[in-house]
PDB file of all heavy atoms in Angstrom:
ATOM      1  N   VAL A  31      -7.017 -16.027  10.616  1.00 97.00           N
ATOM      2  CA  VAL A  31      -7.138 -16.305   9.186  1.00 97.00           C
ATOM      3  C   VAL A  31      -7.801 -15.142   8.456  1.00 97.00           C
ATOM      4  O   VAL A  31      -7.310 -14.679   7.430  1.00 97.00           O
ATOM      5  CB  VAL A  31      -7.923 -17.613   8.948  1.00 97.00           C
ATOM      6  CG1 VAL A  31      -8.092 -17.904   7.465  1.00 97.00           C
ATOM      7  CG2 VAL A  31      -7.216 -18.775   9.642  1.00 97.00           C
ATOM      8  N   ILE A  32      -8.926 -14.668   8.964  1.00 97.00           N
ATOM      9  CA  ILE A  32      -9.590 -13.474   8.434  1.00 97.00           C
ATOM     10  C   ILE A  32      -9.825 -12.560   9.622  1.00 97.00           C
ATOM     11  O   ILE A  32     -10.573 -12.902  10.545  1.00 97.00           O
ATOM     12  CB  ILE A  32     -10.915 -13.789   7.719  1.00 97.00           C
ATOM     13  CG1 ILE A  32     -10.674 -14.698   6.511  1.00 97.00           C
ATOM     14  CG2 ILE A  32     -11.610 -12.488   7.286  1.00 97.00           C
ATOM     15  CD1 ILE A  32     -11.947 -15.124   5.789  1.00 97.00           C
ATOM     16  N   THR A  33      -9.149 -11.420   9.625  1.00 95.00           N
ATOM     17  CA  THR A  33      -9.277 -10.456  10.712  1.00 95.00           C
ATOM     18  C   THR A  33     -10.721  -9.976  10.782  1.00 95.00           C
ATOM     19  O   THR A  33     -11.331  -9.701   9.749  1.00 95.00           O
ATOM     20  CB  THR A  33      -8.340  -9.260  10.453  1.00 95.00           C
ATOM     21  OG1 THR A  33      -7.003  -9.757  10.364  1.00 95.00           O
ATOM     22  CG2 THR A  33      -8.416  -8.234  11.560  1.00 95.00           C
ATOM     23  N   PRO A  34     -11.286  -9.860  11.987  1.00 96.00           N
ATOM     24  CA  PRO A  34     -12.674  -9.407  12.096  1.00 96.00           C
ATOM     25  C   PRO A  34     -12.894  -8.091  11.356  1.00 96.00           C
ATOM     26  O   PRO A  34     -12.179  -7.105  11.590  1.00 96.00           O
ATOM     27  CB  PRO A  34     -12.881  -9.217  13.602  1.00 96.00           C
ATOM     28  CG  PRO A  34     -11.864 -10.115  14.229  1.00 96.00           C
ATOM     29  CD  PRO A  34     -10.682 -10.108  13.297  1.00 96.00           C
ATOM     30  N   ALA A  35     -13.862  -8.096  10.449  1.00 96.00           N
ATOM     31  CA  ALA A  35     -14.156  -6.914   9.642  1.00 96.00           C
ATOM     32  C   ALA A  35     -15.521  -7.082   8.987  1.00 96.00           C
ATOM     33  O   ALA A  35     -16.050  -8.190   8.903  1.00 96.00           O
ATOM     34  CB  ALA A  35     -13.095  -6.725   8.560  1.00 96.00           C
ATOM     35  N   VAL A  36     -16.066  -5.988   8.523  1.00 97.00           N
ATOM     36  CA  VAL A  36     -17.278  -6.029   7.717  1.00 97.00           C
ATOM     37  C   VAL A  36     -16.813  -6.083   6.264  1.00 97.00           C
ATOM     38  O   VAL A  36     -16.200  -5.140   5.771  1.00 97.00           O
ATOM     39  CB  VAL A  36     -18.176  -4.807   7.982  1.00 97.00           C
ATOM     40  CG1 VAL A  36     -19.384  -4.818   7.055  1.00 97.00           C
ATOM     41  CG2 VAL A  36     -18.609  -4.774   9.440  1.00 97.00           C
ATOM     42  N   LEU A  37     -17.080  -7.208   5.618  1.00 96.00           N
ATOM     43  CA  LEU A  37     -16.596  -7.447   4.258  1.00 96.00           C
ATOM     44  C   LEU A  37     -17.737  -7.421   3.245  1.00 96.00           C
ATOM     45  O   LEU A  37     -18.837  -7.879   3.532  1.00 96.00           O
ATOM     46  CB  LEU A  37     -15.883  -8.789   4.182  1.00 96.00           C
ATOM     47  CG  LEU A  37     -14.695  -9.005   5.112  1.00 96.00           C
ATOM     48  CD1 LEU A  37     -14.154 -10.433   4.955  1.00 96.00           C
ATOM     49  CD2 LEU A  37     -13.607  -7.994   4.834  1.00 96.00           C
ATOM     50  N   ALA A  38     -17.405  -6.933   2.048  1.00 95.00           N
ATOM     51  CA  ALA A  38     -18.353  -6.951   0.933  1.00 95.00           C
ATOM     52  C   ALA A  38     -17.667  -7.464  -0.332  1.00 95.00           C
ATOM     53  O   ALA A  38     -18.233  -7.428  -1.412  1.00 95.00           O
ATOM     54  CB  ALA A  38     -18.928  -5.564   0.699  1.00 95.00           C
ATOM     55  N   ALA A  39     -16.412  -7.919  -0.179  1.00 96.00           N
ATOM     56  CA  ALA A  39     -15.644  -8.440  -1.308  1.00 96.00           C
ATOM     57  C   ALA A  39     -14.702  -9.530  -0.794  1.00 96.00           C
ATOM     58  O   ALA A  39     -14.484  -9.666   0.415  1.00 96.00           O
ATOM     59  CB  ALA A  39     -14.845  -7.309  -1.956  1.00 96.00           C
ATOM     60  N   ASP A  40     -14.128 -10.280  -1.735  1.00 95.00           N
ATOM     61  CA  ASP A  40     -13.268 -11.412  -1.391  1.00 95.00           C
ATOM     62  C   ASP A  40     -12.183 -11.032  -0.396  1.00 95.00           C
ATOM     63  O   ASP A  40     -11.602  -9.939  -0.475  1.00 95.00           O
ATOM     64  CB  ASP A  40     -12.576 -11.964  -2.641  1.00 95.00           C
ATOM     65  CG  ASP A  40     -13.536 -12.619  -3.601  1.00 95.00           C
ATOM     66  OD1 ASP A  40     -14.754 -12.624  -3.344  1.00 95.00           O
ATOM     67  OD2 ASP A  40     -13.057 -13.125  -4.635  1.00 95.00           O
ATOM     68  N   SER A  41     -11.893 -11.966   0.489  1.00 90.00           N
ATOM     69  CA  SER A  41     -10.740 -11.825   1.375  1.00 90.00           C
ATOM     70  C   SER A  41      -9.496 -12.253   0.594  1.00 90.00           C
ATOM     71  O   SER A  41      -9.589 -12.880  -0.451  1.00 90.00           O
ATOM     72  CB  SER A  41     -10.907 -12.711   2.611  1.00 90.00           C
ATOM     73  OG  SER A  41     -10.927 -14.079   2.242  1.00 90.00           O
ATOM     74  N   THR A  42      -8.338 -11.899   1.109  1.00 91.00           N
ATOM     75  CA  THR A  42      -7.082 -12.369   0.517  1.00 91.00           C
ATOM     76  C   THR A  42      -6.593 -13.512   1.376  1.00 91.00           C
ATOM     77  O   THR A  42      -6.206 -13.294   2.538  1.00 91.00           O
ATOM     78  CB  THR A  42      -6.033 -11.237   0.485  1.00 91.00           C
ATOM     79  OG1 THR A  42      -6.546 -10.152  -0.288  1.00 91.00           O
ATOM     80  CG2 THR A  42      -4.730 -11.727  -0.126  1.00 91.00           C
ATOM     81  N   PRO A  43      -6.611 -14.739   0.857  1.00 92.00           N
ATOM     82  CA  PRO A  43      -6.250 -15.872   1.713  1.00 92.00           C
ATOM     83  C   PRO A  43      -4.760 -15.907   2.039  1.00 92.00           C
ATOM     84  O   PRO A  43      -3.925 -15.851   1.138  1.00 92.00           O
ATOM     85  CB  PRO A  43      -6.673 -17.096   0.902  1.00 92.00           C
ATOM     86  CG  PRO A  43      -6.699 -16.634  -0.506  1.00 92.00           C
ATOM     87  CD  PRO A  43      -6.995 -15.150  -0.483  1.00 92.00           C
ATOM     88  N   ALA A  44      -4.461 -15.977   3.316  1.00 92.00           N
ATOM     89  CA  ALA A  44      -3.078 -16.094   3.764  1.00 92.00           C
ATOM     90  C   ALA A  44      -2.709 -17.570   3.846  1.00 92.00           C
ATOM     91  O   ALA A  44      -3.562 -18.430   4.053  1.00 92.00           O
ATOM     92  CB  ALA A  44      -2.926 -15.429   5.132  1.00 92.00           C
ATOM     93  N   THR A  45      -1.426 -17.861   3.713  1.00 96.00           N
ATOM     94  CA  THR A  45      -0.937 -19.223   3.864  1.00 96.00           C
ATOM     95  C   THR A  45      -0.922 -19.587   5.337  1.00 96.00           C
ATOM     96  O   THR A  45      -0.417 -18.841   6.171  1.00 96.00           O
ATOM     97  CB  THR A  45       0.472 -19.363   3.280  1.00 96.00           C
ATOM     98  OG1 THR A  45       0.425 -19.078   1.885  1.00 96.00           O
ATOM     99  CG2 THR A  45       1.029 -20.760   3.491  1.00 96.00           C
ATOM    100  N   ILE A  46      -1.477 -20.748   5.662  1.00 97.00           N
ATOM    101  CA  ILE A  46      -1.480 -21.270   7.026  1.00 97.00           C
ATOM    102  C   ILE A  46      -0.564 -22.493   7.043  1.00 97.00           C
ATOM    103  O   ILE A  46      -0.781 -23.444   6.289  1.00 97.00           O
ATOM    104  CB  ILE A  46      -2.901 -21.679   7.447  1.00 97.00           C
ATOM    105  CG1 ILE A  46      -3.848 -20.477   7.353  1.00 97.00           C
ATOM    106  CG2 ILE A  46      -2.882 -22.272   8.839  1.00 97.00           C
ATOM    107  CD1 ILE A  46      -5.297 -20.856   7.308  1.00 97.00           C
ATOM    108  N   ASP A  47       0.444 -22.460   7.888  1.00 97.00           N
ATOM    109  CA  ASP A  47       1.413 -23.551   8.010  1.00 97.00           C
ATOM    110  C   ASP A  47       1.054 -24.395   9.228  1.00 97.00           C
ATOM    111  O   ASP A  47       0.991 -23.887  10.347  1.00 97.00           O
ATOM    112  CB  ASP A  47       2.812 -22.975   8.140  1.00 97.00           C
ATOM    113  CG  ASP A  47       3.904 -24.017   8.027  1.00 97.00           C
ATOM    114  OD1 ASP A  47       3.608 -25.228   8.055  1.00 97.00           O
ATOM    115  OD2 ASP A  47       5.078 -23.610   7.927  1.00 97.00           O
ATOM    116  N   LEU A  48       0.810 -25.672   9.013  1.00 97.00           N
ATOM    117  CA  LEU A  48       0.456 -26.575  10.109  1.00 97.00           C
ATOM    118  C   LEU A  48       1.664 -27.296  10.702  1.00 97.00           C
ATOM    119  O   LEU A  48       1.494 -28.194  11.536  1.00 97.00           O
ATOM    120  CB  LEU A  48      -0.571 -27.609   9.617  1.00 97.00           C
ATOM    121  CG  LEU A  48      -1.909 -27.063   9.153  1.00 97.00           C
ATOM    122  CD1 LEU A  48      -2.806 -28.199   8.678  1.00 97.00           C
ATOM    123  CD2 LEU A  48      -2.577 -26.274  10.258  1.00 97.00           C
ATOM    124  N   ALA A  49       2.880 -26.913  10.309  1.00 96.00           N
ATOM    125  CA  ALA A  49       4.078 -27.579  10.827  1.00 96.00           C
ATOM    126  C   ALA A  49       4.074 -27.563  12.352  1.00 96.00           C
ATOM    127  O   ALA A  49       3.817 -26.542  12.980  1.00 96.00           O
ATOM    128  CB  ALA A  49       5.336 -26.887  10.296  1.00 96.00           C
ATOM    129  N   GLY A  50       4.339 -28.722  12.942  1.00 94.00           N
ATOM    130  CA  GLY A  50       4.412 -28.842  14.390  1.00 94.00           C
ATOM    131  C   GLY A  50       3.089 -29.160  15.072  1.00 94.00           C
ATOM    132  O   GLY A  50       3.031 -29.297  16.287  1.00 94.00           O
ATOM    133  N   PHE A  51       2.021 -29.283  14.282  1.00 95.00           N
ATOM    134  CA  PHE A  51       0.693 -29.586  14.829  1.00 95.00           C
ATOM    135  C   PHE A  51       0.072 -30.731  14.047  1.00 95.00           C
ATOM    136  O   PHE A  51       0.273 -30.853  12.841  1.00 95.00           O
ATOM    137  CB  PHE A  51      -0.219 -28.358  14.765  1.00 95.00           C
ATOM    138  CG  PHE A  51       0.239 -27.228  15.628  1.00 95.00           C
ATOM    139  CD1 PHE A  51       1.151 -26.304  15.169  1.00 95.00           C
ATOM    140  CD2 PHE A  51      -0.232 -27.104  16.929  1.00 95.00           C
ATOM    141  CE1 PHE A  51       1.591 -25.259  15.967  1.00 95.00           C
ATOM    142  CE2 PHE A  51       0.189 -26.064  17.750  1.00 95.00           C
ATOM    143  CZ  PHE A  51       1.112 -25.139  17.270  1.00 95.00           C
ATOM    144  N   ASP A  52      -0.713 -31.563  14.732  1.00 92.00           N
ATOM    145  CA  ASP A  52      -1.328 -32.710  14.089  1.00 92.00           C
ATOM    146  C   ASP A  52      -2.839 -32.595  13.927  1.00 92.00           C
ATOM    147  O   ASP A  52      -3.485 -33.554  13.500  1.00 92.00           O
ATOM    148  CB  ASP A  52      -0.998 -33.989  14.872  1.00 92.00           C
ATOM    149  CG  ASP A  52       0.469 -34.347  14.749  1.00 92.00           C
ATOM    150  OD1 ASP A  52       1.071 -34.091  13.688  1.00 92.00           O
ATOM    151  OD2 ASP A  52       1.030 -34.889  15.735  1.00 92.00           O
ATOM    152  N   SER A  53      -3.419 -31.456  14.282  1.00 93.00           N
ATOM    153  CA  SER A  53      -4.847 -31.247  14.058  1.00 93.00           C
ATOM    154  C   SER A  53      -5.118 -29.768  13.861  1.00 93.00           C
ATOM    155  O   SER A  53      -4.321 -28.918  14.267  1.00 93.00           O
ATOM    156  CB  SER A  53      -5.675 -31.800  15.231  1.00 93.00           C
ATOM    157  OG  SER A  53      -5.372 -31.110  16.420  1.00 93.00           O
ATOM    158  N   ALA A  54      -6.259 -29.478  13.227  1.00 97.00           N
ATOM    159  CA  ALA A  54      -6.622 -28.084  12.959  1.00 97.00           C
ATOM    160  C   ALA A  54      -8.128 -27.951  12.829  1.00 97.00           C
ATOM    161  O   ALA A  54      -8.797 -28.863  12.317  1.00 97.00           O
ATOM    162  CB  ALA A  54      -5.946 -27.596  11.679  1.00 97.00           C
ATOM    163  N   MET A  55      -8.650 -26.824  13.315  1.00 98.00           N
ATOM    164  CA  MET A  55     -10.077 -26.550  13.193  1.00 98.00           C
ATOM    165  C   MET A  55     -10.290 -25.060  12.947  1.00 98.00           C
ATOM    166  O   MET A  55      -9.730 -24.227  13.648  1.00 98.00           O
ATOM    167  CB  MET A  55     -10.827 -26.942  14.468  1.00 98.00           C
ATOM    168  CG  MET A  55     -12.334 -26.744  14.334  1.00 98.00           C
ATOM    169  SD  MET A  55     -13.196 -26.789  15.914  1.00 98.00           S
ATOM    170  CE  MET A  55     -12.785 -25.199  16.585  1.00 98.00           C
ATOM    171  N   PHE A  56     -11.079 -24.753  11.932  1.00 98.00           N
ATOM    172  CA  PHE A  56     -11.472 -23.373  11.655  1.00 98.00           C
ATOM    173  C   PHE A  56     -12.717 -23.029  12.454  1.00 98.00           C
ATOM    174  O   PHE A  56     -13.644 -23.830  12.522  1.00 98.00           O
ATOM    175  CB  PHE A  56     -11.795 -23.179  10.164  1.00 98.00           C
ATOM    176  CG  PHE A  56     -10.609 -23.283   9.264  1.00 98.00           C
ATOM    177  CD1 PHE A  56     -10.266 -24.488   8.689  1.00 98.00           C
ATOM    178  CD2 PHE A  56      -9.841 -22.159   8.980  1.00 98.00           C
ATOM    179  CE1 PHE A  56      -9.160 -24.584   7.856  1.00 98.00           C
ATOM    180  CE2 PHE A  56      -8.748 -22.246   8.140  1.00 98.00           C
ATOM    181  CZ  PHE A  56      -8.402 -23.458   7.576  1.00 98.00           C
ATOM    182  N   ALA A  57     -12.732 -21.836  13.040  1.00 98.00           N
ATOM    183  CA  ALA A  57     -13.934 -21.269  13.656  1.00 98.00           C
ATOM    184  C   ALA A  57     -14.331 -20.092  12.774  1.00 98.00           C
ATOM    185  O   ALA A  57     -13.657 -19.055  12.763  1.00 98.00           O
ATOM    186  CB  ALA A  57     -13.658 -20.817  15.085  1.00 98.00           C
ATOM    187  N   ILE A  58     -15.411 -20.280  11.997  1.00 98.00           N
ATOM    188  CA  ILE A  58     -15.868 -19.264  11.046  1.00 98.00           C
ATOM    189  C   ILE A  58     -16.983 -18.475  11.723  1.00 98.00           C
ATOM    190  O   ILE A  58     -18.074 -18.995  11.949  1.00 98.00           O
ATOM    191  CB  ILE A  58     -16.359 -19.912   9.736  1.00 98.00           C
ATOM    192  CG1 ILE A  58     -15.238 -20.759   9.100  1.00 98.00           C
ATOM    193  CG2 ILE A  58     -16.872 -18.839   8.780  1.00 98.00           C
ATOM    194  CD1 ILE A  58     -15.692 -21.598   7.925  1.00 98.00           C
ATOM    195  N   HIS A  59     -16.698 -17.217  12.044  1.00 98.00           N
ATOM    196  CA  HIS A  59     -17.659 -16.333  12.706  1.00 98.00           C
ATOM    197  C   HIS A  59     -18.322 -15.460  11.642  1.00 98.00           C
ATOM    198  O   HIS A  59     -17.622 -14.761  10.900  1.00 98.00           O
ATOM    199  CB  HIS A  59     -16.957 -15.392  13.684  1.00 98.00           C
ATOM    200  CG  HIS A  59     -16.158 -16.080  14.738  1.00 98.00           C
ATOM    201  ND1 HIS A  59     -16.508 -16.048  16.055  1.00 98.00           N
ATOM    202  CD2 HIS A  59     -15.013 -16.810  14.664  1.00 98.00           C
ATOM    203  CE1 HIS A  59     -15.618 -16.719  16.764  1.00 98.00           C
ATOM    204  NE2 HIS A  59     -14.702 -17.199  15.942  1.00 98.00           N
ATOM    205  N   VAL A  60     -19.640 -15.486  11.575  1.00 97.00           N
ATOM    206  CA  VAL A  60     -20.385 -14.652  10.622  1.00 97.00           C
ATOM    207  C   VAL A  60     -21.456 -13.898  11.395  1.00 97.00           C
ATOM    208  O   VAL A  60     -22.259 -14.511  12.097  1.00 97.00           O
ATOM    209  CB  VAL A  60     -21.029 -15.481   9.503  1.00 97.00           C
ATOM    210  CG1 VAL A  60     -21.834 -14.591   8.553  1.00 97.00           C
ATOM    211  CG2 VAL A  60     -19.964 -16.261   8.728  1.00 97.00           C
ATOM    212  N   GLY A  61     -21.454 -12.581  11.288  1.00 96.00           N
ATOM    213  CA  GLY A  61     -22.473 -11.767  11.931  1.00 96.00           C
ATOM    214  C   GLY A  61     -23.739 -11.724  11.097  1.00 96.00           C
ATOM    215  O   GLY A  61     -23.881 -12.447  10.093  1.00 96.00           O
ATOM    216  N   THR A  62     -24.657 -10.878  11.485  1.00 95.00           N
ATOM    217  CA  THR A  62     -25.903 -10.715  10.738  1.00 95.00           C
ATOM    218  C   THR A  62     -25.578 -10.304   9.301  1.00 95.00           C
ATOM    219  O   THR A  62     -24.789  -9.383   9.070  1.00 95.00           O
ATOM    220  CB  THR A  62     -26.783  -9.649  11.408  1.00 95.00           C
ATOM    221  OG1 THR A  62     -27.047 -10.064  12.750  1.00 95.00           O
ATOM    222  CG2 THR A  62     -28.087  -9.462  10.657  1.00 95.00           C
ATOM    223  N   GLY A  63     -26.191 -11.009   8.345  1.00 94.00           N
ATOM    224  CA  GLY A  63     -25.916 -10.738   6.930  1.00 94.00           C
ATOM    225  C   GLY A  63     -26.229  -9.311   6.552  1.00 94.00           C
ATOM    226  O   GLY A  63     -27.282  -8.784   6.901  1.00 94.00           O
ATOM    227  N   GLY A  64     -25.298  -8.696   5.827  1.00 92.00           N
ATOM    228  CA  GLY A  64     -25.509  -7.323   5.362  1.00 92.00           C
ATOM    229  C   GLY A  64     -26.550  -7.252   4.265  1.00 92.00           C
ATOM    230  O   GLY A  64     -27.144  -6.206   4.025  1.00 92.00           O
ATOM    231  N   ILE A  65     -26.748  -8.382   3.583  1.00 93.00           N
ATOM    232  CA  ILE A  65     -27.769  -8.501   2.541  1.00 93.00           C
ATOM    233  C   ILE A  65     -28.541  -9.792   2.810  1.00 93.00           C
ATOM    234  O   ILE A  65     -28.156 -10.584   3.668  1.00 93.00           O
ATOM    235  CB  ILE A  65     -27.148  -8.548   1.124  1.00 93.00           C
ATOM    236  CG1 ILE A  65     -26.267  -9.800   0.970  1.00 93.00           C
ATOM    237  CG2 ILE A  65     -26.365  -7.279   0.831  1.00 93.00           C
ATOM    238  CD1 ILE A  65     -25.852 -10.111  -0.446  1.00 93.00           C
ATOM    239  N   THR A  66     -29.594 -10.014   2.042  1.00 94.00           N
ATOM    240  CA  THR A  66     -30.264 -11.313   2.091  1.00 94.00           C
ATOM    241  C   THR A  66     -29.581 -12.188   1.053  1.00 94.00           C
ATOM    242  O   THR A  66     -29.688 -11.943  -0.155  1.00 94.00           O
ATOM    243  CB  THR A  66     -31.775 -11.167   1.790  1.00 94.00           C
ATOM    244  OG1 THR A  66     -32.344 -10.318   2.780  1.00 94.00           O
ATOM    245  CG2 THR A  66     -32.447 -12.523   1.826  1.00 94.00           C
ATOM    246  N   PHE A  67     -28.833 -13.178   1.521  1.00 95.00           N
ATOM    247  CA  PHE A  67     -28.095 -14.049   0.621  1.00 95.00           C
ATOM    248  C   PHE A  67     -29.054 -14.928  -0.167  1.00 95.00           C
ATOM    249  O   PHE A  67     -30.128 -15.285   0.303  1.00 95.00           O
ATOM    250  CB  PHE A  67     -27.128 -14.928   1.425  1.00 95.00           C
ATOM    251  CG  PHE A  67     -26.140 -14.144   2.228  1.00 95.00           C
ATOM    252  CD1 PHE A  67     -26.222 -14.116   3.611  1.00 95.00           C
ATOM    253  CD2 PHE A  67     -25.130 -13.432   1.619  1.00 95.00           C
ATOM    254  CE1 PHE A  67     -25.318 -13.392   4.368  1.00 95.00           C
ATOM    255  CE2 PHE A  67     -24.214 -12.698   2.365  1.00 95.00           C
ATOM    256  CZ  PHE A  67     -24.315 -12.687   3.744  1.00 95.00           C
TER     257      PHE A  67
END
Side-chain angles (χ1 to χ4, degrees):
V31 178
I32 298 177
T33 301
V36 176
L37 302 177
D40 292 2
S41 64
T42 301
T45 298
I46 301 161
D47 190 349
L48 298 179
F51 295 87
D52 291 327
S53 63
M55 184 195 76
F56 291 92
I58 303 171
H59 303 247
V60 178
T62 301
I65 63 167
T66 300
F67 301 110

